[in-house]
Amino acid sequence: LPNMDFLKREIRTLAAYKLNIFSPYFEHTFAYASTPVAAFPGGAMTPEEGKELVEYAAKYHITIIPEQEASGHLHHVLKFEQYSTLGETPHGAVLAPGDSASLPQIGEWFGELAKVFPGPYAHIGADETDQLGLGRTRDEVAQKGLGAVYLNFLSQIHKQLEPNHKRLLFWGDIAENSPELVGTLPKDMIAVSWHYDAKPDFTKNLEPFLKSGLETWVASGVNNWNRVYPNNNEALGNIRAFVRDGQKLGATGMLNTVWNDDGEGLFDENWFGVLFGAAAAWQPGESSEANFIASYGQAFHNDPSGKI
């Protein structure tokens, strides 16, 4: 978990290159009053630190969008006996949609976040729910289909969180597989389509959401995960093509993702890909990798030699 001094330096640097959104990612790393056991002291952001960061970021015209996983990626919460009964499978990673305590728990988390992060958005995650249908919802999924059960749960989360008056972002990887059902989601939700490979065209990934009338953002990746140094070749190709297609098809925003949660890499290795995301998002059409590479050393490291 980055400390506050590092986060503030990150905010200042992002602002210097015209990035206006910062989205910290939480599974068990926010110190919630409702689930205190899962957040270890020194390993979680406290509400007081969150408020301090919001005030600091506002000086640099940056809005903070907290992301709290509300469906999958919750093993570090559900592994504890106190919360394991909420899981689709015992001590698994996915909340059981049908459990009577799941929605109230999500409501507690996001209610606490709303008191800390006053911006207009909240991100509910909901990606990579691979265990859904393998445990307590097995029969329901067999009867209705995985997509129907998943999207119905997103709609229930939306209703649960209405009192917070936030526009909810969700990762689009699961919903993308049920394009005929995406239109059942509340129209004020924002689909965030994430894909991290450097393929030539992303039209098919974006169309399920845009055709359903949902506001859609693209989420490219800096490709720093599962390695000690980012794969910049893959990252630049992914960012360039995905943002280009998003602009062309009507996407309205971008999250350029960095995942340091596995611990192999350090964030300061990621600035090359992060800043190409800034260039691609602000420049109309398809950004030039060559122009970015030629200017990066001077623009970021103040190195006029052309060696960086």
Side-chain angles (χ1 to χ4, degrees), residues 176-177 179 193 195 199 201-211 242 245 249:
E176 187 180 306
N177 297 321
S193 177
H195 290 275
K199 62 183 183 180
D201 189 271
F202 291 87
T203 301
K204 290 183 178 179
N205 306 116
L206 293 164
E207 282 185 338
F209 308 112
L210 291 165
K211 286 185 174 180
F242 203 3
D245 291 347
L249 295 169

PDB file of all heavy atoms in Angstrom, residues 176-177 179 193 195 199 201-211 242 245 249:
ATOM      1  N   GLU A 176     -19.933  -8.212 -20.963  1.00  0.00           N
ATOM      2  CA  GLU A 176     -19.632  -8.225 -22.393  1.00  0.00           C
ATOM      3  C   GLU A 176     -20.048  -9.542 -23.050  1.00  0.00           C
ATOM      4  O   GLU A 176     -20.348  -9.590 -24.243  1.00  0.00           O
ATOM      5  CB  GLU A 176     -18.130  -8.001 -22.581  1.00  0.00           C
ATOM      6  CG  GLU A 176     -17.672  -7.819 -24.000  1.00  0.00           C
ATOM      7  CD  GLU A 176     -16.174  -7.598 -24.077  1.00  0.00           C
ATOM      8  OE1 GLU A 176     -15.680  -6.683 -23.390  1.00  0.00           O
ATOM      9  OE2 GLU A 176     -15.508  -8.348 -24.811  1.00  0.00           O
ATOM     10  N   ASN A 177     -20.065 -10.616 -22.257  1.00  0.00           N
ATOM     11  CA  ASN A 177     -20.426 -11.931 -22.787  1.00  0.00           C
ATOM     12  C   ASN A 177     -21.934 -12.134 -22.892  1.00  0.00           C
ATOM     13  O   ASN A 177     -22.378 -13.184 -23.363  1.00  0.00           O
ATOM     14  CB  ASN A 177     -19.817 -13.023 -21.903  1.00  0.00           C
ATOM     15  CG  ASN A 177     -18.296 -12.975 -21.908  1.00  0.00           C
ATOM     16  OD1 ASN A 177     -17.690 -12.733 -22.945  1.00  0.00           O
ATOM     17  ND2 ASN A 177     -17.690 -13.182 -20.760  1.00  0.00           N
ATOM     18  N   PRO A 179     -24.359  -9.687 -24.393  1.00  0.00           N
ATOM     19  CA  PRO A 179     -24.753  -8.413 -24.999  1.00  0.00           C
ATOM     20  C   PRO A 179     -26.258  -8.221 -25.076  1.00  0.00           C
ATOM     21  O   PRO A 179     -26.745  -7.086 -25.029  1.00  0.00           O
ATOM     22  CB  PRO A 179     -24.122  -8.471 -26.395  1.00  0.00           C
ATOM     23  CG  PRO A 179     -23.875  -9.921 -26.666  1.00  0.00           C
ATOM     24  CD  PRO A 179     -23.573 -10.523 -25.332  1.00  0.00           C
ATOM     25  N   SER A 193     -15.010  -0.917 -20.111  1.00  0.00           N
ATOM     26  CA  SER A 193     -14.524  -2.072 -20.866  1.00  0.00           C
ATOM     27  C   SER A 193     -13.016  -2.166 -20.709  1.00  0.00           C
ATOM     28  O   SER A 193     -12.293  -1.247 -21.079  1.00  0.00           O
ATOM     29  CB  SER A 193     -14.907  -1.907 -22.341  1.00  0.00           C
ATOM     30  OG  SER A 193     -14.391  -2.966 -23.123  1.00  0.00           O
ATOM     31  N   HIS A 195      -9.479  -4.239 -21.519  1.00  0.00           N
ATOM     32  CA  HIS A 195      -8.722  -5.233 -22.288  1.00  0.00           C
ATOM     33  C   HIS A 195      -7.289  -4.750 -22.350  1.00  0.00           C
ATOM     34  O   HIS A 195      -7.031  -3.566 -22.554  1.00  0.00           O
ATOM     35  CB  HIS A 195      -9.303  -5.408 -23.696  1.00  0.00           C
ATOM     36  CG  HIS A 195     -10.635  -6.082 -23.699  1.00  0.00           C
ATOM     37  ND1 HIS A 195     -10.785  -7.451 -23.692  1.00  0.00           N
ATOM     38  CD2 HIS A 195     -11.884  -5.573 -23.675  1.00  0.00           C
ATOM     39  CE1 HIS A 195     -12.073  -7.759 -23.679  1.00  0.00           C
ATOM     40  NE2 HIS A 195     -12.766  -6.630 -23.652  1.00  0.00           N
ATOM     41  N   LYS A 199      -4.159  -5.664 -29.485  1.00  0.00           N
ATOM     42  CA  LYS A 199      -4.780  -6.167 -30.706  1.00  0.00           C
ATOM     43  C   LYS A 199      -5.195  -4.990 -31.597  1.00  0.00           C
ATOM     44  O   LYS A 199      -5.308  -3.846 -31.128  1.00  0.00           O
ATOM     45  CB  LYS A 199      -5.976  -7.058 -30.370  1.00  0.00           C
ATOM     46  CG  LYS A 199      -7.116  -6.385 -29.635  1.00  0.00           C
ATOM     47  CD  LYS A 199      -8.196  -7.427 -29.313  1.00  0.00           C
ATOM     48  CE  LYS A 199      -9.399  -6.783 -28.643  1.00  0.00           C
ATOM     49  NZ  LYS A 199     -10.435  -7.796 -28.332  1.00  0.00           N
ATOM     50  N   ASP A 201      -8.035  -4.086 -33.115  1.00  0.00           N
ATOM     51  CA  ASP A 201      -9.369  -3.479 -33.121  1.00  0.00           C
ATOM     52  C   ASP A 201     -10.159  -3.915 -31.894  1.00  0.00           C
ATOM     53  O   ASP A 201     -10.161  -5.092 -31.526  1.00  0.00           O
ATOM     54  CB  ASP A 201     -10.129  -3.906 -34.385  1.00  0.00           C
ATOM     55  CG  ASP A 201     -11.417  -3.140 -34.560  1.00  0.00           C
ATOM     56  OD1 ASP A 201     -12.447  -3.603 -34.039  1.00  0.00           O
ATOM     57  OD2 ASP A 201     -11.399  -2.071 -35.202  1.00  0.00           O
ATOM     58  N   PHE A 202     -10.835  -2.950 -31.252  1.00  0.00           N
ATOM     59  CA  PHE A 202     -11.591  -3.210 -30.029  1.00  0.00           C
ATOM     60  C   PHE A 202     -13.088  -2.949 -30.204  1.00  0.00           C
ATOM     61  O   PHE A 202     -13.814  -2.860 -29.215  1.00  0.00           O
ATOM     62  CB  PHE A 202     -11.049  -2.346 -28.887  1.00  0.00           C
ATOM     63  CG  PHE A 202      -9.669  -2.740 -28.438  1.00  0.00           C
ATOM     64  CD1 PHE A 202      -8.539  -2.215 -29.062  1.00  0.00           C
ATOM     65  CD2 PHE A 202      -9.494  -3.646 -27.411  1.00  0.00           C
ATOM     66  CE1 PHE A 202      -7.276  -2.575 -28.669  1.00  0.00           C
ATOM     67  CE2 PHE A 202      -8.214  -4.020 -26.996  1.00  0.00           C
ATOM     68  CZ  PHE A 202      -7.099  -3.486 -27.626  1.00  0.00           C
ATOM     69  N   THR A 203     -13.532  -2.859 -31.440  1.00  0.00           N
ATOM     70  CA  THR A 203     -14.928  -2.517 -31.711  1.00  0.00           C
ATOM     71  C   THR A 203     -15.888  -3.497 -31.046  1.00  0.00           C
ATOM     72  O   THR A 203     -16.869  -3.090 -30.401  1.00  0.00           O
ATOM     73  CB  THR A 203     -15.181  -2.488 -33.230  1.00  0.00           C
ATOM     74  OG1 THR A 203     -14.319  -1.515 -33.819  1.00  0.00           O
ATOM     75  CG2 THR A 203     -16.622  -2.136 -33.525  1.00  0.00           C
ATOM     76  N   LYS A 204     -15.624  -4.786 -31.179  1.00  0.00           N
ATOM     77  CA  LYS A 204     -16.535  -5.797 -30.643  1.00  0.00           C
ATOM     78  C   LYS A 204     -16.616  -5.749 -29.121  1.00  0.00           C
ATOM     79  O   LYS A 204     -17.615  -6.169 -28.537  1.00  0.00           O
ATOM     80  CB  LYS A 204     -16.106  -7.186 -31.113  1.00  0.00           C
ATOM     81  CG  LYS A 204     -16.323  -7.427 -32.592  1.00  0.00           C
ATOM     82  CD  LYS A 204     -15.952  -8.854 -32.976  1.00  0.00           C
ATOM     83  CE  LYS A 204     -16.214  -9.103 -34.457  1.00  0.00           C
ATOM     84  NZ  LYS A 204     -15.844 -10.483 -34.862  1.00  0.00           N
ATOM     85  N   ASN A 205     -15.570  -5.253 -28.484  1.00  0.00           N
ATOM     86  CA  ASN A 205     -15.574  -5.158 -27.027  1.00  0.00           C
ATOM     87  C   ASN A 205     -16.391  -3.982 -26.520  1.00  0.00           C
ATOM     88  O   ASN A 205     -16.937  -4.024 -25.414  1.00  0.00           O
ATOM     89  CB  ASN A 205     -14.145  -5.041 -26.500  1.00  0.00           C
ATOM     90  CG  ASN A 205     -13.252  -6.146 -27.003  1.00  0.00           C
ATOM     91  OD1 ASN A 205     -12.295  -5.889 -27.722  1.00  0.00           O
ATOM     92  ND2 ASN A 205     -13.558  -7.391 -26.677  1.00  0.00           N
ATOM     93  N   LEU A 206     -16.493  -2.944 -27.329  1.00  0.00           N
ATOM     94  CA  LEU A 206     -17.186  -1.729 -26.906  1.00  0.00           C
ATOM     95  C   LEU A 206     -18.651  -1.701 -27.323  1.00  0.00           C
ATOM     96  O   LEU A 206     -19.494  -1.116 -26.632  1.00  0.00           O
ATOM     97  CB  LEU A 206     -16.473  -0.506 -27.485  1.00  0.00           C
ATOM     98  CG  LEU A 206     -15.076  -0.238 -26.937  1.00  0.00           C
ATOM     99  CD1 LEU A 206     -14.313   0.731 -27.832  1.00  0.00           C
ATOM    100  CD2 LEU A 206     -15.159   0.303 -25.522  1.00  0.00           C
ATOM    101  N   GLU A 207     -18.965  -2.331 -28.428  1.00  0.00           N
ATOM    102  CA  GLU A 207     -20.320  -2.230 -28.970  1.00  0.00           C
ATOM    103  C   GLU A 207     -21.424  -2.741 -28.049  1.00  0.00           C
ATOM    104  O   GLU A 207     -22.511  -2.143 -28.015  1.00  0.00           O
ATOM    105  CB  GLU A 207     -20.388  -2.942 -30.323  1.00  0.00           C
ATOM    106  CG  GLU A 207     -19.787  -2.118 -31.453  1.00  0.00           C
ATOM    107  CD  GLU A 207     -19.964  -2.778 -32.797  1.00  0.00           C
ATOM    108  OE1 GLU A 207     -20.151  -4.019 -32.835  1.00  0.00           O
ATOM    109  OE2 GLU A 207     -19.914  -2.054 -33.829  1.00  0.00           O
ATOM    110  N   PRO A 208     -21.238  -3.833 -27.280  1.00  0.00           N
ATOM    111  CA  PRO A 208     -22.336  -4.283 -26.416  1.00  0.00           C
ATOM    112  C   PRO A 208     -22.842  -3.203 -25.466  1.00  0.00           C
ATOM    113  O   PRO A 208     -24.031  -3.138 -25.173  1.00  0.00           O
ATOM    114  CB  PRO A 208     -21.723  -5.459 -25.646  1.00  0.00           C
ATOM    115  CG  PRO A 208     -20.655  -5.973 -26.543  1.00  0.00           C
ATOM    116  CD  PRO A 208     -20.088  -4.759 -27.215  1.00  0.00           C
ATOM    117  N   PHE A 209     -21.952  -2.352 -25.007  1.00  0.00           N
ATOM    118  CA  PHE A 209     -22.333  -1.310 -24.053  1.00  0.00           C
ATOM    119  C   PHE A 209     -22.862  -0.070 -24.758  1.00  0.00           C
ATOM    120  O   PHE A 209     -23.892   0.495 -24.368  1.00  0.00           O
ATOM    121  CB  PHE A 209     -21.138  -0.974 -23.163  1.00  0.00           C
ATOM    122  CG  PHE A 209     -20.527  -2.168 -22.518  1.00  0.00           C
ATOM    123  CD1 PHE A 209     -19.255  -2.601 -22.873  1.00  0.00           C
ATOM    124  CD2 PHE A 209     -21.225  -2.904 -21.575  1.00  0.00           C
ATOM    125  CE1 PHE A 209     -18.689  -3.720 -22.292  1.00  0.00           C
ATOM    126  CE2 PHE A 209     -20.677  -4.025 -20.988  1.00  0.00           C
ATOM    127  CZ  PHE A 209     -19.402  -4.440 -21.346  1.00  0.00           C
ATOM    128  N   LEU A 210     -22.162   0.351 -25.792  1.00  0.00           N
ATOM    129  CA  LEU A 210     -22.573   1.567 -26.494  1.00  0.00           C
ATOM    130  C   LEU A 210     -23.913   1.376 -27.193  1.00  0.00           C
ATOM    131  O   LEU A 210     -24.752   2.281 -27.201  1.00  0.00           O
ATOM    132  CB  LEU A 210     -21.492   1.964 -27.491  1.00  0.00           C
ATOM    133  CG  LEU A 210     -20.185   2.468 -26.842  1.00  0.00           C
ATOM    134  CD1 LEU A 210     -19.050   2.482 -27.847  1.00  0.00           C
ATOM    135  CD2 LEU A 210     -20.383   3.847 -26.231  1.00  0.00           C
ATOM    136  N   LYS A 211     -24.148   0.203 -27.757  1.00  0.00           N
ATOM    137  CA  LYS A 211     -25.420  -0.045 -28.438  1.00  0.00           C
ATOM    138  C   LYS A 211     -26.593  -0.150 -27.462  1.00  0.00           C
ATOM    139  O   LYS A 211     -27.741   0.055 -27.841  1.00  0.00           O
ATOM    140  CB  LYS A 211     -25.327  -1.325 -29.273  1.00  0.00           C
ATOM    141  CG  LYS A 211     -24.504  -1.159 -30.542  1.00  0.00           C
ATOM    142  CD  LYS A 211     -24.538  -2.420 -31.394  1.00  0.00           C
ATOM    143  CE  LYS A 211     -23.835  -2.211 -32.719  1.00  0.00           C
ATOM    144  NZ  LYS A 211     -23.854  -3.432 -33.572  1.00  0.00           N
ATOM    145  N   PHE A 242      -6.916   0.992 -28.312  1.00  0.00           N
ATOM    146  CA  PHE A 242      -8.143   0.960 -27.517  1.00  0.00           C
ATOM    147  C   PHE A 242      -8.730   2.360 -27.361  1.00  0.00           C
ATOM    148  O   PHE A 242      -9.933   2.580 -27.518  1.00  0.00           O
ATOM    149  CB  PHE A 242      -7.850   0.348 -26.157  1.00  0.00           C
ATOM    150  CG  PHE A 242      -9.046  -0.248 -25.445  1.00  0.00           C
ATOM    151  CD1 PHE A 242     -10.302  -0.283 -26.036  1.00  0.00           C
ATOM    152  CD2 PHE A 242      -8.908  -0.789 -24.178  1.00  0.00           C
ATOM    153  CE1 PHE A 242     -11.392  -0.844 -25.378  1.00  0.00           C
ATOM    154  CE2 PHE A 242      -9.979  -1.344 -23.515  1.00  0.00           C
ATOM    155  CZ  PHE A 242     -11.232  -1.371 -24.110  1.00  0.00           C
ATOM    156  N   ASP A 245     -10.181   3.553 -30.733  1.00  0.00           N
ATOM    157  CA  ASP A 245     -11.494   2.974 -31.035  1.00  0.00           C
ATOM    158  C   ASP A 245     -12.565   3.502 -30.088  1.00  0.00           C
ATOM    159  O   ASP A 245     -13.711   3.696 -30.490  1.00  0.00           O
ATOM    160  CB  ASP A 245     -11.422   1.450 -30.967  1.00  0.00           C
ATOM    161  CG  ASP A 245     -10.583   0.851 -32.089  1.00  0.00           C
ATOM    162  OD1 ASP A 245     -10.272   1.593 -33.050  1.00  0.00           O
ATOM    163  OD2 ASP A 245     -10.225  -0.336 -31.992  1.00  0.00           O
ATOM    164  N   LEU A 249     -15.935   5.405 -31.455  1.00  0.00           N
ATOM    165  CA  LEU A 249     -17.252   4.806 -31.246  1.00  0.00           C
ATOM    166  C   LEU A 249     -18.112   5.564 -30.228  1.00  0.00           C
ATOM    167  O   LEU A 249     -19.280   5.247 -30.065  1.00  0.00           O
ATOM    168  CB  LEU A 249     -17.097   3.346 -30.805  1.00  0.00           C
ATOM    169  CG  LEU A 249     -16.462   2.421 -31.851  1.00  0.00           C
ATOM    170  CD1 LEU A 249     -16.117   1.077 -31.237  1.00  0.00           C
ATOM    171  CD2 LEU A 249     -17.385   2.238 -33.040  1.00  0.00           C
TER     172      LEU A 249
END
